[in-house]
Amino acid sequence: MYIFAAGTGTAALWLLWTFVLRLYLLRRYYEKQGIRFVKNCYAVLGAEMRVTGLQGKNKSHDWLYTERPTELFGTVRGFSVQLIGKTGKHVDRDTPALFSFGRLSPYALTFLPINKWRFRERKVTLTKGMKDNMRLYNIVSRQAEEALARFKVKNGSGTMINIRELLNYWTRESSGEFIWGKNNINRYLEVLDTDGQLKAMPFMTALNQTFTELRFYASRFWNRVCFPLAALPLTKESRRLDYNIKLIRKATEDMMETPEDETVASLVQQANDELGIPTGMTRDDLVTATIAGLDTIKSSVMGTLFHLLEPENMHWRKQILDEINELKSKPGDMFVKLSHAPKLSAFILETLRYEPPGSLINNAAVKDFKLSANGQDYNIKSGTRIVTSIHALHQNEESWKKRVAPDMAPLDQFDPSRFLNHTDTIISSFCFLPFGKGPRRCPGQGAGLMMVKVFIAAFLTHNYNCRMAVPENQTKDITWFNIYSKATFEIICEDETEKKPVPVDA
């Protein structure tokens, strides 16, 4: 009895030290160095109560980190101290996403340290496998035309279109065909729906739905406080998701047995097999590459269309359509010409700056080191989470004025002209990081931008004279299009076929 009591007491003390006292002391350690923490940030719970409020406004939790314009500040995330701002050379990947959509592909590059698991070789093969821009353009443009026809997106149709449904269909078909091939993604899976009933659906629908459900499940309050809880079979929903994950992983393994020629899957498999990289790692890299082209691309297109259809941006809409029509009139491949569409590119890049779909780069210190920020050196302890908030970088007026241009429009204003005037400077700076930088840079950056450009070009060509209908209860201050947002709008096609575009001065 005494032994049991002693053991229980020891365990309780260990838990108290590991999850509470150590956290408190580490926070005080950084505060004594002058690092300020976000408002209402409590022990263990961190600022997650504020995050819940942000989610209700279609804002992701990185909005917390725009309130401190300094280069380094702190918060508590779960049972660890998290420093937001500059990163250092002694950090590596440590992301809560491993317990979210990482359950689909835990050995994917996204979740692994950079010097293990043959990271660099796999990154090279995946990047090369996704570089067939001609094939990508042919798939994406054909799928865009089919989607627009399916949803009757055309001047004069008078149709009201749910933009989310349209983009769900297009992104699934485009990403699935590009990665796996048209025949492979035609297979159906019987997954458990939210009522616990088996329901047959196409592979890409099942993958997209499970991916989205995993993210939203992991974003619940206690799962945000303690990341690993989201991956444990503690709830009926988590067990349902586990069942669907097994089906999807088995389906991807089956597709790898019958790779279609020239697909990303076939190219990456062949290269990785020659390098002796385990099949499980290849599978997880391909799954992550597939889902990366779903909600992120959808959010990017929704944000771009929303701003394009705002009345104050009518002149941009006209200039971009004129630019697209001019490119079409010139000889050459359109997938090459789209890279020379400065107005279209500027508008998309400003959308990614203004409201990046996903905007945190999660790392942790792998050893004690000194980090220079705010004009001084800080002593960083091993295990401290070091997180770059892309959203905060994109809103840092002081940094942009210093590194880009002192006279540009304020960053809380949507102004694509900043990319027309300072594109090279912005891209090369560390002020703008929608795709990350360095070895962790998104391998699908080029493919993602191509997909957005193709869809916007096709949409404007078919439906220049359209207008946007936003739900009455969705005010401007809650209309944001990150990957956690539920904001939406509908497209109303102009029903007067004889109506011509009204010239607008640039």
Side-chain angles (χ1 to χ4, degrees), residues 44-55 60-61 64 76-80 82 96 215-230 385 484:
V44 181
L45 297 181
E48 295 306 320
M49 287 183 284
R50 292 182 62 195
V51 172
T52 299
L54 288 172
Q55 289 179 336
S60 49
H61 70 268
L64 289 177
V76 173
R77 189 87 195 275
F79 295 101
S80 56
Q82 180 168 278
R215 285 194 295 101
F216 278 96
Y217 179 71
S219 71
R220 293 181 180 179
F221 182 84
W222 287 109
N223 291 339
R224 297 198 311 267
V225 170
C226 182
F227 313 139
L229 286 178
R385 296 176 56 76
Y484 291 98

Side-chain angles (χ1 to χ4, degrees), residues 239-291:
R239 293 190 292 273
R240 177 181 70 86
L241 289 169
D242 277 337
Y243 177 87
N244 292 344
I245 288 168
K246 291 176 183 178
L247 284 179
I248 291 169
R249 287 165 69 86
K250 177 63 168 60
T252 57
E253 290 168 0
D254 291 343
M255 290 192 292
M256 291 174 69
E257 293 292 327
T258 57
E260 295 185 34
D261 292 342
E262 299 183 350
T263 60
V264 175
S266 66
L267 295 173
V268 173
Q269 280 182 253
Q270 181 179 352
N272 282 359
D273 286 348
E274 291 175 357
L275 293 170
I277 291 172
T279 301
M281 294 183 183
T282 302
R283 175 202 61 210
D284 285 6
D285 287 342
L286 291 172
V287 169
T288 300
T290 309
I291 58 182

Side-chain angles (χ1 to χ4, degrees), residues 30 65 143 154 177 186 290 318 359 373 383 403-404 418 434 469 474:
Y30 290 124
Y65 314 139
Q143 291 288 0
K154 184 178 180 181
E177 183 176 349
N186 280 336
T290 309
K318 182 181 184 303
S359 57
R403 301 181 182 184
V404 180
R418 75 178 86 245
Q474 184 181 299

Side-chain angles (χ1 to χ4, degrees), residues 135 141 157 295 297 318 373:
R135 178 174 175 269
S141 58
S157 70
D295 287 10
I297 299 298
K318 182 181 184 303

Side-chain angles (χ1 to χ4, degrees), residues 353 390 393-396 399-400 403-404 426 429-433 437:
R353 182 203 68 80
I390 299 171
L393 288 177
H394 289 184
Q395 298 291 331
N396 192 320
S399 180
W400 279 69
R403 301 181 182 184
V404 180
I426 294 174
S429 74
F430 279 86
C431 299
F432 182 65
L433 296 175
K437 278 190 181 293

Side-chain angles (χ1 to χ4, degrees), residues 6-148:
T8 302
T10 302
L13 288 173
W14 179 82
L15 290 171
L16 181 66
W17 164 253
T18 302
F19 296 118
V20 181
L21 292 179
R22 182 178 175 277
L23 183 64
Y24 171 78
L25 293 174
L26 190 58
R27 173 173 176 166
R28 291 295 299 145
Y29 175 76
Y30 290 124
E31 287 178 328
K32 287 179 179 179
Q33 295 184 62
I35 298 176
R36 299 171 64 193
F37 277 64
V38 297
K39 300 174 184 177
N40 302 322
C41 183
Y42 307 107
V44 181
L45 297 181
E48 295 306 320
M49 287 183 284
R50 292 182 62 195
V51 172
T52 299
L54 288 172
Q55 289 179 336
K57 298 177 181 178
N58 292 316
K59 295 180 177 180
S60 49
H61 70 268
D62 50 273
W63 277 78
L64 289 177
Y65 314 139
T66 62
E67 64 188 29
R68 300 286 192 200
T70 59
E71 289 185 326
L72 190 68
F73 58 95
T75 185
V76 173
R77 189 87 195 275
F79 295 101
S80 56
V81 168
Q82 180 168 278
L83 301 182
I84 314 297
K86 293 186 66 175
T87 187
K89 62 181 180 180
H90 297 299
V91 302
D92 211 335
R93 183 53 47 92
D94 183 358
T95 173
L98 177 62
F99 307 104
S100 172
F101 63 88
R103 293 165 66 182
L104 278 165
S105 49
Y107 296 104
L109 294 170
T110 305
F111 314 110
L112 299 180
I114 204 168
N115 292 315
K116 297 179 180 179
W117 302 95
R118 306 185 70 173
F119 179 96
R120 297 179 188 277
E121 295 168 282
R122 292 162 60 191
K123 182 67 175 287
V124 169
T125 60
L126 185 59
T127 302
K128 287 183 177 179
M130 299 186 73
K131 277 192 172 180
D132 190 345
N133 287 333
M134 178 181 290
R135 178 174 175 269
L136 174 65
Y137 173 80
N138 290 336
I139 290 172
V140 173
S141 58
R142 171 171 46 78
Q143 291 288 0
E145 293 294 331
E146 291 178 7
L148 294 172

Side-chain angles (χ1 to χ4, degrees), residues 8 17 22-23 53 59 98 129 135 159 187 201-202 249 301 310 331 339 423 438 455 460 488 504-505:
T8 302
W17 164 253
R22 182 178 175 277
L23 183 64
K59 295 180 177 180
L98 177 62
R135 178 174 175 269
T159 306
R187 67 187 64 214
M201 59 180 66
R249 287 165 69 86
V301 173
E310 288 188 299
S339 63
T423 304
F455 188 88
L460 286 181
T488 189
V504 178
D505 294 332

